[in-house]
Amino acid sequence: MPDEEYDYPGRIAEIEIDESAAVCVEQIDDEITVAIASIVGVHFQVTANQAREIARALTVAAENAEKYLASVKT
């Protein structure tokens, strides 16, 4: 599953984690569905506010990871 961006409505993104896992985000109207596809798939719906909270948390974690990597390289 390659990393791809899609158009609204429908699939927004499919992010490959490794050869056997991916995260897919789909949206139609106000319904946002997140699917964690692996050997066992997990699908759940989130509200717009929950989606923003997830995005903020991932952004903070990514920034922290980048800072950590920069600090250990020096």
Side-chain angles (χ1 to χ4, degrees):
M1 288 180 258
D3 295 345
E4 295 182 27
E5 294 296 322
Y6 297 85
D7 291 326
Y8 171 81
R11 182 154 298 170
I12 301 296
E14 183 176 300
I15 302 110
E16 185 173 315
I17 306 301
D18 60 29
E19 294 116 22
S20 64
V23 175
C24 301
V25 177
E26 297 179 348
Q27 180 187 7
I28 298 176
D29 300 327
D30 68 336
E31 260 184 34
I32 302 166
T33 301
V34 178
I36 301 170
S38 186
I39 294 169
V40 176
V42 177
H43 296 243
F44 54 93
Q45 289 186 332
V46 297
T47 65
N49 285 337
Q50 290 168 326
R52 281 190 201 93
E53 287 181 41
I54 292 167
R56 282 188 205 113
L58 289 171
T59 299
V60 168
E63 289 170 354
N64 290 342
E66 288 171 343
K67 287 177 189 174
Y68 172 79
L69 288 174
S71 73
V72 296
K73 287 184 179 179
T74 56

